[in-house]
Amino acid sequence: MRLLQPVRLRHPYVTQLDLGVLHGTQRDLATIKTVTVPLSRPARARIAGWLAHTASPGRVRPLRDDGKGTTIPVPRVLAALGRTHHDLRDLIEDTGIRIPDTASTRTAARLLREEIDSHAARMLPDAPLLTERLRSYGIGEDALAERRFLIDALARARALLPLPRPLSLARLAHHCAVNPHYFDLNDHGRGALLVLLARDLLNAGQPDTPAAERALLARLGIVADRLSQTVLLLNVQAVGDGPTDRALNLAYKDRRPVHLTLHDLTANPPTLEASQRLLVVENVSLIDEALERGVTKPLACTRGTLSAVDHTLLALARHAGLAVEYAGDHDPWGHAIAAAVHQRYHATPVAMDAAAHRSAADAEPDWSRPPRAHSGADGHEPPRGRCGVEGRIYQENTAIVDILLGPSTSDPLHPCASREAPVGHGSAGSEAPGCT
């Protein structure tokens, strides 16, 4: 017997219902062909009975639960109940479950978006790059106050620029946002937005290094990290007569390391001696070891990053015509930095090839090595690194240190080091038996 009266879905039959597919306008509801719903067994039998009344003879298909729920043909159920998709919302809400009106939610979100965009355009009328970036950011109702504060902070900075004299980024951030780190130039700060503002005001291109970002801000009077960022140098000579040249030459004469700040390299850039071959290393421990070995070659240390001060030093070295070598840890980050320094500053990677990696791997302390899986009949190979040999190699590895600084039997970790040799600056000591 055909079902004549509309039948409501009773709430006890529905164990759980994901209504995400049902959110939206009536037009959205019309596109729904099936819905997968976890149903109780009585509810599944009830719906199967409805569908049986409208199915052609011999074409009745049982409803099955695949563990994730029962897939229900929505148009056929509506037809069996004598309803259309316009009634679908009412049918579901009759079970006691409310469907959010996402059409209204979307409208409210659009109005909110338009309001924020209009506010940014009013407060920053001459900053199209910045306002376009702000438009690209998502925003929710709960973030409205935060976004307004960000726009207002940028507008406060805009009202001061260009500054009549240099001012630290931290002081500017504190004035504009009561937080000295608000515009920090890092992955978590909002400094990138301040850089966009500088590009708008100066009609400048995209800076492609941290040093270029800071140079762009400096054109507006904002100084960032110029005293906190330093680079460590040893045995580097200069031929100019500025304060930084004198500091380098005095340190060279005294055979001591010297830290130069970003301010030293930008406000008083040195003129480096062109005949030098500068070895740039990743880890400060290499400079420490060079002091103990009495190494006289020019050295610099980036501390494993390419910060603004590092880029500035490398640019000065390239401009002066120095031959630059770079050595880093044997890991993806170390190789990435080496590639960047080679491409931008024509530096030659040293002690980073497969042969050096293999020698270093053989020199690793035995007790630090994980068990190795040797290739055999099963054809399994041990894990390989970037250079085709096993493991990650740090610069502190004795073989790498010897390649970069030259071998020294005074090294307490060297297999041929004398245990009787007195500790002294650069002392070679006496060799252990069997060492040549």
Side-chain angles (χ1 to χ4, degrees), residues 16 20 32 51 55 61 100 140 145 197 201 230 236 247 258 267 327-328 330 342 357 365 377:
Q16 182 182 354
I32 298 174
L51 296 176
R61 295 181 181 179
L197 177 60
L201 300 182
T230 64
V236 176
V258 59
H330 287 227
H342 170 70
H357 196 155

Side-chain angles (χ1 to χ4, degrees), residues 245-402:
D245 300 81
R246 293 194 295 270
L248 279 172
N249 288 333
L250 184 59
Y252 177 81
K253 179 181 177 181
D254 294 337
R255 293 299 180 191
R256 63 178 177 82
V258 59
H259 284 92
L260 296 182
T261 67
L262 183 58
H263 177 260
D264 293 326
L265 298 180
T266 53
N268 302 291
T271 303
L272 301 177
E273 167 60 55
S275 63
Q276 300 172 98
R277 177 175 291 273
L278 179 65
L279 172 61
V280 181
V281 296
E282 178 173 334
N283 300 330
V284 176
S285 60
L286 269 291
I287 306 292
D288 232 328
E289 183 63 20
L291 285 172
E292 294 303 317
R293 295 189 183 200
V295 172
T296 59
K297 67 170 63 176
L299 295 166
C301 178
T302 66
R303 294 180 178 82
T305 63
L306 275 185
S307 61
V309 69
D310 302 320
H311 279 283
T312 304
L313 174 68
L314 289 165
L316 287 171
R318 180 182 176 186
H319 179 73
L322 272 70
V324 179
E325 298 175 329
Y326 183 84
D329 290 335
H330 287 227
D331 59 10
W333 182 245
H335 282 281
I337 292 179
V341 172
H342 170 70
Q343 181 178 9
R344 178 173 288 275
Y345 303 108
H346 301 166
T348 303
V350 293
M352 297 193 73
D353 58 1
H357 196 155
R358 191 171 293 108
S359 296
D362 291 339
E364 289 282 79
D366 289 335
W367 54 84
S368 68
R369 297 178 185 174
R372 297 186 180 183
H374 297 285
S375 59
D378 59 0
H380 290 157
E381 293 288 338
R384 298 290 174 176
R386 186 184 180 96
C387 292
V389 296
E390 297 167 79
R392 172 180 180 175
I393 301 296
Y394 294 98
Q395 265 190 321
E396 287 79 3
N397 178 284
T398 298
I400 298 296
V401 173
D402 286 350

Side-chain angles (χ1 to χ4, degrees), residues 97-302:
I97 302 173
R98 181 178 176 276
I99 302 176
D101 185 357
T102 54
S104 299
T105 303
R106 285 196 298 269
T107 301
R110 178 175 54 80
L111 293 174
L112 178 64
R113 171 87 271 171
E114 291 174 355
E115 179 187 354
I116 285 294
D117 291 346
S118 297
H119 182 62
R122 285 194 307 272
M123 301 300 291
L124 300 161
D126 55 352
L129 292 174
L130 176 56
T131 52
E132 179 61 31
R133 176 68 61 82
L134 290 169
R135 275 195 295 270
S136 70
Y137 290 167
I139 185 172
E141 187 175 354
D142 56 342
L144 175 60
E146 181 181 346
R147 182 61 54 82
R148 279 185 173 275
F149 185 84
L150 171 61
I151 293 169
D152 292 341
L154 290 164
R156 293 185 195 103
R158 169 65 191 95
L160 295 171
L161 300 176
L163 294 162
R165 71 156 175 84
L167 186 72
S168 70
L169 177 62
R171 286 203 63 209
L172 178 70
H174 186 272
H175 173 79
C176 296
V178 202
N179 179 354
H181 299 290
Y182 195 75
F183 289 129
D184 277 0
L185 292 166
N186 56 38
D187 293 340
H188 307 292
R190 302 165 187 83
L193 297 176
L194 202 61
V195 171
L196 273 178
L197 177 60
R199 287 185 59 196
D200 279 322
L201 300 182
L202 298 170
N203 193 26
Q206 172 67 43
D208 58 352
T209 67
E213 289 180 344
R214 286 154 179 80
L216 187 63
L217 293 177
R219 291 173 59 187
L220 294 173
I222 307 170
V223 291
D225 307 319
R226 68 175 182 176
L227 298 181
S228 60
Q229 284 198 14
T230 64
V231 62
L232 180 63
L233 298 102
L234 178 66
N235 304 325
V236 176
Q237 299 181 74
V239 295
D241 192 36
T244 307
D245 300 81
R246 293 194 295 270
L248 279 172
N249 288 333
L250 184 59
Y252 177 81
K253 179 181 177 181
D254 294 337
R255 293 299 180 191
R256 63 178 177 82
V258 59
H259 284 92
L260 296 182
T261 67
L262 183 58
H263 177 260
D264 293 326
L265 298 180
T266 53
N268 302 291
T271 303
L272 301 177
E273 167 60 55
S275 63
Q276 300 172 98
R277 177 175 291 273
L278 179 65
L279 172 61
V280 181
V281 296
E282 178 173 334
N283 300 330
V284 176
S285 60
L286 269 291
I287 306 292
D288 232 328
E289 183 63 20
L291 285 172
E292 294 303 317
R293 295 189 183 200
V295 172
T296 59
K297 67 170 63 176
L299 295 166
C301 178
T302 66

